[in-house]
Amino acid sequence: MNAPPAKPVAALAIAPIEDADIAAVVALWQGCGLTRPWNDPAADIALARKGANAAVLVGRDGGAVVATAMVGHDGHRGWVYYVATDTGHRGKGHGRTMMHAAEDWLRQAGIEKLQLMVRPDNSRVQAFYQSIGYGEQQRIILAKWLDGRELTP
């Protein structure tokens, strides 16, 4: 018995975020459950766009924003945040494509290592990153709110 033909995967057009994309990107992040009450996503976008060490990459399918990745570095290590794929576009490889774009962005900046954080209870996302070659490194993350708030989970 022959396997069914593979569904064609739409190619993403990836580019840095534009002013006109901000509302759609924030809505995508909120729809994917990536935002937290203590982080203003529009302010995060503005900060990433402020300097040369960070970018918000947007993946478009037919002009619509369907995927994102915020990428940046401290000169030694790269970090990625807000990796999102619109729920109606999952399973098409867009998350993988956005991660490759973030990795390429860091390589072009001369950064050799990319790190990211996943909440321990998010096994689906952990499995995704493992499927594209990421492995867990045991580290203890220490944090402090500088305004005196209690730590968030």
Side-chain angles (χ1 to χ4, degrees), residues 34-102:
L34 297 179
T35 59
R36 296 293 181 261
W38 52 86
N39 288 3
D40 175 356
D44 290 346
I45 291 168
L47 184 60
R49 295 177 79 192
K50 210 174 188 181
N53 285 10
V56 179
L57 304 177
V58 174
R60 292 179 179 81
D61 181 1
V65 173
V66 298
T68 63
M70 180 185 287
V71 60
H73 68 85
D74 61 11
H76 299 282
R77 289 169 199 85
W79 289 89
V80 67
Y81 305 91
Y82 291 115
V83 177
T85 300
D86 182 272
T87 56
H89 290 265
R90 292 198 176 148
K92 297 181 180 181
H94 295 338
R96 184 178 304 262
T97 299
M98 294 308 299
M99 284 303 296
H100 288 309

Side-chain angles (χ1 to χ4, degrees), residues 74-153:
D74 61 11
H76 299 282
R77 289 169 199 85
W79 289 89
V80 67
Y81 305 91
Y82 291 115
V83 177
T85 300
D86 182 272
T87 56
H89 290 265
R90 292 198 176 148
K92 297 181 180 181
H94 295 338
R96 184 178 304 262
T97 299
M98 294 308 299
M99 284 303 296
H100 288 309
E103 292 169 2
D104 288 344
W105 189 93
L106 289 166
R107 281 186 198 97
Q108 290 174 6
I111 305 301
E112 297 178 353
K113 184 177 185 182
L114 190 154
Q115 299 181 153
L116 52 90
M117 294 183 283
V118 178
R119 288 182 175 80
D121 61 342
N122 199 340
S123 58
R124 183 180 57 82
V125 170
Q126 290 174 33
F128 164 71
Y129 285 115
Q130 289 167 350
S131 78
I132 59 172
Y134 286 79
E136 183 178 339
Q137 287 189 313
Q138 294 295 316
R139 301 289 185 267
I140 295 173
I141 299 172
L142 302 174
K144 176 182 179 179
W145 284 107
L146 299 179
D147 63 4
R149 281 184 267 179
E150 292 293 319
L151 283 179
T152 52

